[in-house]
Amino acid sequence: MQVFGSGFRIIAPAIGVAALAILQPGIDPVFLALLSEAHALSPDLHGWVVAAAQAGLALGSLLSLFAGARLPSWSFAAAALAAMAAALATGAIADFPALLALRAAHGAAMGLIYTQAMAHAARHRPTGAFAAALLVQLLLSMVVAAGLPSLADQRGASAALELLALAPFAILLILATCRDALGQRSEWDVAPRREALNTHATARAITPRTLLIAGAIFAFVCANMIVWSLTGALALGAGLGNDTLGTAVSLGSLAGAVTALAVLRERILVPPTLTALLCGAALLAPMLGARAGQSELFIASIVLFNIGATASVIRCSGLAAASCTSSRALRFVSSMQTLGMIAGPALGSLAAMGDSRNGPLEAAALATVLACGAFIAWQRRPVPQVLPAELYYEERQAA
């Protein structure tokens, strides 16, 4: 297929690493249900577990944003080792503060890896890189979400949780076997020390129009995570079992993968504004689908949610990345995803404390409205015809 041409062969290791680094958010409902089973953790605390993990993810992403190519090459292998140790310890340690620290450490390591991997991949294919990474992540999520509950029934929830250490182990293998998998050497070849040392020029490369679309990414991901972090608790509260939850997440991942494959072709078939509005409506589906207590309706709502979440993040990220003129600007776009991942669960938990039934729905609806507003404002803002010459200190590599 044409979509998997030479450009994708060049960035295939980075896409694989990025997909593995964000595998955890794709299986959070199943992971949280197993965590409650393994350590008798109250569903009311699920939002804080996710928030701790995403706080670490955001911190790792910000470290990559500000340190960039100055990080030593071994730092990413060390991060993968740290994530593997945290994943193994999660299944064995029941103390809640210790669990939060472990999830934060795991998230920080993965955030560092993900942001560098996506910055390298998006330099070649702005939209296609995000679509491919999400496609692989969703396919992996589908397999893991379908298999973990059965494995937990056979060997226990703790053993199932410990197997998630295979994800950072796979990252280690890719880093060890693929030359310059995260593009650090090529980044220094393409943008010698000017980008790493000239922060002012990099800041100017992030234009107001890029900030608008990055804000839309942040708000869409925020709404996404408000709903996703509470999906397990919603299912349990509606009397739906782990098998239903696993099936919903698995089928939702499949639907998201099909959506990612469609966007991977980088052809805009639906008007972007209509895409934003439809995606926003789909993000709220699980909040309503869980209330009926019917497994079929809940599964259908998760499928709709995954379609909307996948299309909104890929399309906005690709449009934002296409407007970037530096690797640090590309890392900025990737960091908006991780920052939304921490803000969403925290806001959802805070909203649930104020109104356990309607609070998260109202918070998710507000984030969705803000995302659509930022996207529409971005689309109406004139496209700059000429950029200052000093912004072109990094050539985009040929795909």
Side-chain angles (χ1 to χ4, degrees):
M1 285 174 60
Q2 183 64 30
V3 290
F4 294 108
S6 61
F8 278 102
R9 288 196 294 271
I10 293 170
I11 59 175
I15 288 174
V17 167
L20 288 164
I22 56 168
L23 173 64
Q24 183 65 47
I27 60 169
D28 265 342
V30 173
F31 169 80
L32 293 169
L34 293 178
L35 197 64
S36 289
E37 184 179 338
H39 302 313
L41 186 70
S42 169
D44 293 338
L45 299 175
H46 284 180
W48 297 110
V49 174
V50 176
Q54 304 307 339
L57 196 70
L59 287 174
S61 182
L62 290 174
L63 175 60
S64 177
L65 172 63
F66 292 115
R70 289 173 290 187
L71 289 170
S73 57
W74 55 261
S75 60
F76 298 102
L81 280 171
M84 187 164 60
L88 289 170
T90 296
I93 297 177
D95 181 67
F96 185 64
L99 275 176
L100 293 182
L102 287 170
R103 300 320 299 165
H106 183 276
M110 292 304 203
L112 175 68
I113 295 168
Y114 171 77
T115 304
Q116 176 63 30
M118 283 311 306
H120 172 51
R123 205 162 55 228
H124 292 264
R125 298 286 293 267
T127 298
F130 286 99
L134 272 179
L135 172 62
V136 177
Q137 185 251 16
L138 288 165
L139 291 173
L140 290 172
S141 298
M142 179 180 64
V143 174
V144 174
L148 275 184
S150 299
L151 185 63
D153 290 340
Q154 296 174 5
R155 299 190 177 182
S158 293
L161 290 172
E162 290 170 358
L163 275 179
L164 294 176
L166 289 175
F169 178 72
I171 291 175
L172 272 176
L173 288 180
I174 294 174
L175 295 179
T177 57
C178 298
R179 182 180 182 275
D180 198 24
L182 302 186
Q184 282 187 295
R185 290 194 184 97
S186 62
E187 186 173 339
W188 278 104
D189 291 340
V190 174
R193 295 184 178 270
R194 241 181 311 185
E195 178 188 348
L197 301 180
N198 193 341
T199 304
H200 176 68
T202 300
R204 291 188 61 192
I206 304 174
T207 64
R209 196 166 187 267
T210 302
L211 288 174
L212 273 176
I213 192 66
I217 295 171
F218 173 81
F220 269 127
V221 174
C222 197
N224 179 336
M225 293 304 298
I226 289 173
V227 177
W228 196 242
S229 65
L230 298 175
T231 297
L234 288 171
L236 294 175
L240 302 174
N242 286 342
D243 289 340
T244 297
L245 183 60
T247 301
V249 173
S250 181
L251 290 178
S253 297
L254 178 61
V258 173
T259 304
L261 188 60
V263 181
L264 185 64
R265 289 184 169 273
E266 300 176 318
R267 297 174 183 172
I268 298 179
L269 301 178
V270 181
T273 299
L274 180 59
T275 299
L277 295 174
L278 291 175
C279 290
L283 290 179
L284 303 177
M287 306 292 291
L288 302 175
R291 295 189 177 190
Q294 298 179 3
S295 59
E296 294 82 3
L297 185 59
F298 177 74
I299 291 171
S301 70
I302 293 295
V303 169
L304 284 174
F305 170 85
N306 274 270
I307 292 173
T310 303
S312 61
V313 171
I314 292 175
R315 185 60 70 200
C316 289
S317 298
L319 291 169
S323 69
C324 293
T325 59
S326 72
S327 288
R328 186 171 292 168
L330 287 167
R331 284 192 286 269
F332 171 74
V333 170
S334 296
S335 70
M336 286 300 100
Q337 295 183 27
T338 56
L339 290 174
M341 287 179 178
I342 175 180
L347 290 174
S349 293
L350 289 172
M353 290 172 64
D355 182 353
S356 60
R357 180 172 176 81
N358 295 318
L361 176 60
E362 293 170 356
L366 176 60
T368 301
V369 170
L370 292 175
C372 292
F375 188 89
I376 293 171
W378 167 83
Q379 195 171 29
R380 292 183 176 180
R381 191 177 181 90
V383 180
Q385 297 299 315
V386 179
L387 289 175
E390 65 266 23
L391 298 185
Y392 289 96
Y393 50 80
E394 172 183 330
E395 300 174 9
R396 183 164 294 166
Q397 296 184 13

